[in-house]
Amino acid sequence: MWAKKHLLYTEATRHPFILSIRDGSVDLSSFKRWLGQDYVFVREFVPFVASVLIKASKKSDDGNDMEVILGGLASLNDEIAWFKSEASKWDVPLSNTVVHKANQNYSRFLENLMLPEVDYAVAITAFWAIEAVYQESFAHCLEDDSKTPSELQDTCQRWGNEGFGEYCRSLQKIANRCLEKASSDVLTKAEVTFLRVLEHEVEFWNMSHGCA
Ligand code: HMH
């Protein structure tokens, strides 16, 4: 299980699409496809995060969880505004986007995680993993030896910046605290959910990259 996790995590955070941004060889039509699809994703992600917030307010024994998740929702508000301005910069229409299969599958997965019977520990683990994949991927494109094109720096900064990294570590801490107290049944569900997130992230990159 650990080996599989490790392998999938690397696949998700060092995907050929990300590596192509990092080495400057990125195909801009791929980038535009990613931009349009990710805007759709983020609009689906907001209700999921809201559902995690509701679970935190009911289940959590730590007063700080709500603030961290609320901060996440606030940054999604900025993110939606950013997508709109970025899309107009790149001439990517955001209305009438044909939602790709990988995106539809990811949405369906998120919808299932929103159900009240899904444990808070499972939902917060998924939330952390979703954010962490983007953080690790885009931070990789900002390293000193990267050749990320200047017009993509802003995108990489959005998720690769230190503040976003700090926020991901806060989510990880919450997830770890919940998992320490979880039953073995919940722990297994969280593990499986974590792997599913990584698979969906890889599929999402594949779609952007044009290999799906
Ligand atoms: C597909 N995963 C995907 N899109 C995002 N914007 C994030 C994660 C991070 O918010």
Side-chain angles (χ1 to χ4, degrees):
M1 190 71 153
W2 194 86
K4 184 170 184 209
K5 248 191 324 213
H6 194 72
L7 192 72
L8 251 181
Y9 195 75
T10 307
E11 268 187 74
T13 57
R14 297 291 182 265
H15 189 275
F17 177 62
I18 281 298
L19 298 179
S20 78
I21 292 177
R22 193 184 194 277
D23 71 16
S25 70
V26 60
D27 170 15
L28 289 179
S29 70
S30 295
F31 176 75
K32 290 186 187 185
R33 181 163 49 231
W34 167 80
L35 193 70
Q37 293 293 323
D38 211 43
Y39 175 71
V40 173
F41 174 84
V42 167
R43 296 193 73 94
E44 302 281 337
F45 190 46
V46 170
F48 166 70
V49 177
S51 80
V52 182
L53 183 70
I54 291 168
K55 289 185 166 93
S57 75
K58 288 185 179 156
K59 303 254 174 66
S60 174
D61 44 15
D62 183 299
N64 203 38
D65 292 20
M66 181 179 273
E67 283 82 343
V68 173
I69 300 162
L70 200 53
L73 274 173
S75 74
L76 285 168
N77 185 33
D78 289 346
E79 209 163 293
I80 285 176
W82 177 84
F83 269 104
K84 287 179 177 163
S85 84
E86 196 69 12
S88 87
K89 209 162 86 188
W90 290 92
D91 276 327
V92 174
L94 289 182
S95 52
N96 309 319
T97 305
V98 178
V99 183
H100 196 285
K101 193 93 198 139
N103 213 350
Q104 287 173 15
N105 291 341
Y106 209 163
S107 286
R108 197 159 348 109
F109 170 77
L110 290 182
E111 270 167 28
N112 284 322
L113 285 177
M114 287 166 61
L115 298 172
E117 59 265 33
V118 173
D119 208 90
Y120 176 51
V122 174
I124 193 86
T125 299
F127 182 25
W128 160 69
I130 292 167
E131 298 287 47
V133 166
Y134 262 44
Q135 209 283 324
E136 290 229 12
S137 299
F138 285 113
H140 190 51
C141 300
L142 295 172
E143 286 162 2
D144 285 343
D145 58 338
S146 64
K147 301 188 188 72
T148 299
S150 59
E151 66 269 35
L152 302 186
Q153 286 282 340
D154 197 54
T155 300
C156 299
Q157 278 292 343
R158 170 145 290 278
W159 291 277
N161 78 75
E162 195 33 55
F164 198 81
E166 190 55 47
Y167 158 66
C168 290
R169 282 189 289 281
S170 304
L171 290 177
Q172 186 175 21
K173 236 182 265 168
I174 297 173
N176 281 338
R177 194 197 71 230
C178 293
L179 294 173
E180 270 164 25
K181 291 182 295 190
S183 66
S184 68
D185 175 49
V186 168
L187 213 53
T188 304
K189 283 184 181 147
E191 290 250 344
V192 171
T193 303
F194 175 69
L195 289 172
R196 291 280 166 279
V197 166
L198 297 179
E199 285 167 359
H200 282 295
E201 289 291 332
V202 170
E203 290 298 320
F204 204 92
W205 293 134
N206 284 348
M207 157 192 77
S208 309
H209 204 48
C211 36

